[in-house]
Each structure stands twice: as structure tokens, then as C-alpha cells.
Amino acid sequence: PSCGFVAGGVTYEAGAARPLLVLDLFAEAGVASGQRAVVGGGVHTVLFVIGPLAVAGETGAHLFFDGLDTSLAISGSLLVGVGR
């Protein structure tokens, strides 16, 4: 089994209600282990709650393919952190 990938991409700040909310869209492409190509994208949201304390969420979808086999991975995460 193979896991992991390396990708580069672009991010577009789709909306913001600064200083409390930031919404970013992202698109990326790269190579997964096993020499599979990968393309994907999603949305990343940061909500500052109190001072520098923030809650961040990310939802994304990535398509892996090598000409013979194609698979789709849908992921999500929720993080708590400090930032500005």
C-alpha cells in the first residue's frame, strides 16, 4: 500500500470579515507515492474566537490516477490554534 503525496497549488481568499473570519479556496496538483498523479481542491476556513484563539476547518477532495486506476479521497479536518 502507498500513502502520502506532495503537491503544490494556489490559494484564493474568497471572502473575509476581518479580523474574525477568513475563507480560502485552494487548488493543487502533484504526485502521490507509487508514481500516481493527484489533483484536488477545497475550502479552508479560519474563525478567530477570542483574541488570537482560532478554530480552523478544511474540506477537500483529491483525485488520484495513474492511467489504469482512479480513486477519489474526500477529507475534512477541524483544528484549534493560535494565530493572527
Side-chain angles (χ1 to χ4, degrees):
S2 62
C3 63
F5 65 92
V6 175
V10 296
T11 300
Y12 171 72
E13 189 172 293
R18 293 203 180 268
L20 299 178
L21 176 68
V22 179
L23 179 69
D24 296 327
L25 301 176
F26 67 91
E28 54 195 13
V31 177
S33 55
Q35 301 301 317
R36 298 176 73 191
V38 58
V39 295
V43 61
H44 180 83
T45 305
V46 179
L47 175 63
F48 288 94
V49 183
I50 299 170
L53 181 64
V55 176
E58 184 172 297
T59 303
H62 291 86
L63 183 65
F64 297 83
F65 54 94
D66 64 4
L68 299 175
D69 185 29
T70 301
S71 58
L72 177 67
I74 299 172
S75 62
S77 63
L78 183 63
L79 307 164
V80 176
V82 177
R84 254 306 155 207

